[in-house]
Amino acid sequence: MDGLSKSFVLAVTLVSSSVILVIAFAWFGPGLGSAISLASASLFDEEAVQAVYDRISPAVVDVNVELKAGDSFSRLGFGSGFVIDSDGHIVTNYHVIQQADRVRISFEDGTSALAKILGTNPANDLALLKVPSEAVAGIDPIPFGDSGKARPGQLAIAIGSPFGLDGSVTVGVISALGRSLPVNSQVTLLDLIQTDAPINPGNSGGPLVNLHGEVVGI
């Protein structure tokens, strides 16, 4: 693919089997009473999740997609992404930026920078962006984990910008592995991770991490 960098090839290799399929689960009926009592108990290690959030949330960014109209640009949509190195490379989902004439990245500290689209992989719904290295100075990249070691029941932490609410964190578990999702008549995403961590529009492109703060899915 034209313009595909070595970093993007590495990113695709590491996460191409880890795009997230999210299915919301609901249970009604005779078990409702016990479900309510369970909900009042702590379902995860809050301090551990807070530690992961504090450590990696500065590397989670807003991806603002803009459309050119004449001599000006207007906002077309938004999603999330995350910094993967100190050179300014950012990974997001392909569908977030596929119609973009310009992409602007917004950081946790309120700064922003224009991004170049270095490469795309529609078959795995991945895209690699690049901002100037000085834009990510002082930001620790989020490390990749091994999605091949993911198991149902493991904690899953999602960070992104649902509905444009940046820096939002949700928690769930890895529900299943090896799922597939038809996108259109030409593309079906394979080997997906299913999670019950709440995901909403705007979360797309953000990281799904394990308890060690390592990316296992996007």
Side-chain angles (χ1 to χ4, degrees):
M1 186 172 297
D2 292 343
L4 199 62
S5 70
K6 290 182 179 179
S7 296
F8 182 65
V9 172
L10 176 61
V12 169
T13 300
L14 289 169
V15 300
S16 63
S17 64
S18 306
V19 182
I20 302 167
L21 168 65
V22 179
I23 297 177
F25 293 94
W27 178 260
F28 303 96
L32 185 58
S34 59
I36 292 175
S37 64
L38 283 174
S40 64
S42 177
L43 300 180
F44 56 85
D45 186 332
E46 294 178 356
E47 291 185 359
V49 172
Q50 290 167 4
V52 168
Y53 177 83
D54 290 342
R55 186 168 74 252
I56 72 171
S57 62
V60 181
V61 302
D62 291 345
V63 179
N64 300 287
V65 176
E66 299 178 351
L67 185 67
K68 189 173 183 179
D71 295 329
S72 61
F73 289 85
S74 59
R75 194 182 193 193
L76 177 65
F78 60 92
S80 304
F82 57 97
V83 178
I84 63 170
D85 61 27
S86 58
D87 293 328
H89 291 99
I90 292 169
V91 170
T92 187
N93 282 134
Y94 168 69
H95 75 263
V96 171
I97 54 87
Q98 68 180 110
Q99 296 180 335
D101 290 324
R102 189 170 74 176
V103 177
R104 182 179 297 276
I105 302 299
S106 298
F107 297 92
E108 185 184 58
D109 63 1
T111 60
S112 65
L114 291 178
K116 295 180 180 179
I117 301 174
L118 292 188
T120 61
N121 188 326
N124 290 304
D125 196 20
L126 292 172
L128 183 71
L129 312 178
K130 174 73 166 63
V131 296
S133 58
E134 56 267 26
V136 299
I139 296 177
D140 292 329
I142 304 179
F144 286 105
D146 186 350
S147 61
K149 295 181 179 179
R151 294 293 180 269
Q154 288 181 341
L155 194 69
I157 305 168
I159 302 177
S161 302
F163 306 111
L165 301 172
D166 59 295
S168 297
V169 58
T170 54
V171 180
V173 297
I174 292 176
S175 303
L177 304 169
R179 300 300 198 195
S180 61
L181 178 67
V183 177
N184 52 48
S185 59
Q186 287 79 37
V187 177
T188 296
L189 300 177
L190 303 173
D191 294 326
L192 307 183
I193 291 176
Q194 177 185 330
T195 179
D196 68 346
I199 305 291
N200 289 290
N203 272 116
S204 290
L208 185 78
V209 303
N210 58 25
L211 193 55
H212 303 294
E214 301 167 332
V215 177
V216 295
I218 298 177

